[in-house]
Amino acid sequence: DLFYECLAHLSERWSVPDIATYGMSSAQLWSCAKHLRDTLESQHRVHTELSRPLIGSRFKSARQIFALLEKHLIYPDHSAILGFYSDSYSHWTVLSHVNDGSVFLFDSAGARSLAIKRFTYRQPEAKSEAKGCSPSLNFTPTCLIMIRRRDPA
């Protein structure tokens, strides 16, 4: 099961009880995503590409980023993971699709959609970037992982 594979991987480098209590940083999520990509390839022959397209990008607003995601998610072999934080909440979720001013989710907390206008995209300061995403439904460049299934080489 991929969930247990992820927990085992995380436990090699971090405290899983701390992650369960305080949430997963963007660095932990990226590490887990890369590990699961490798596991899917070696054990199930499912080949995927991961990218974090916001790192070093010139995007300035959440609306621009969700427009990019809308184009990405129209393909059945594409998905995306977004981590976001507020003053009282930190969470990551799998995005299903984007349209009509909302982002639709496959979410463990049961949320089905969120209004795009609730999100703010922030360019991080070097200090806060090391900790993960910034506080408020805010997200930073490291908080978005785009996934695409690909044919084996």
Side-chain angles (χ1 to χ4, degrees):
D1 183 59
L2 292 176
F3 177 74
Y4 295 110
E5 184 70 35
C6 183
L7 285 178
H9 170 73
L10 291 169
S11 71
E12 292 172 5
R13 297 182 58 192
W14 296 286
S15 165
V16 172
D18 284 350
I19 292 170
T21 303
Y22 304 110
M24 189 182 302
S25 73
S26 57
Q28 292 163 333
L29 182 58
W30 180 241
S31 178
C32 192
K34 291 188 301 183
H35 178 73
L36 291 177
R37 174 204 57 207
D38 296 345
T39 300
L40 283 169
E41 188 164 324
S42 66
Q43 295 180 15
H44 303 284
R45 290 185 285 238
V46 174
H47 303 274
T48 59
E49 292 177 359
L50 304 175
S51 66
R52 294 194 289 181
L54 303 184
I55 295 176
S57 75
R58 295 177 186 236
F59 288 103
K60 297 195 185 310
S61 73
R63 285 217 177 269
Q64 291 176 316
I65 294 159
F66 284 107
L68 170 73
L69 283 165
E70 183 174 15
K71 291 174 186 169
H72 175 76
L73 294 171
I74 62 171
Y75 299 99
D77 58 350
H78 289 52
S79 60
I81 300 170
L82 181 66
F84 55 89
Y85 291 73
S86 70
D87 291 339
S88 60
Y89 185 68
S90 67
H91 189 62
W92 62 269
T93 190
V94 176
L95 307 181
S96 159
H97 64 282
V98 177
N99 69 20
D100 297 328
S102 294
V103 58
F104 295 83
L105 318 169
F106 295 117
D107 189 72
S108 62
R112 297 171 121 190
S113 67
L114 293 167
I116 291 171
K117 66 182 179 184
R118 294 185 60 196
F119 287 90
T120 302
Y121 177 62
R122 303 212 183 272
Q123 289 291 343
E125 296 172 8
K127 196 177 207 181
S128 64
E129 183 66 8
K131 293 180 182 176
C133 302
S134 63
S136 263
L137 298 192
N138 293 327
F139 63 100
T140 62
T142 59
C143 294
L144 176 66
I145 300 172
M146 293 171 78
I147 305 162
R148 181 178 78 89
R149 187 171 176 165
R150 63 173 173 80
D151 293 328

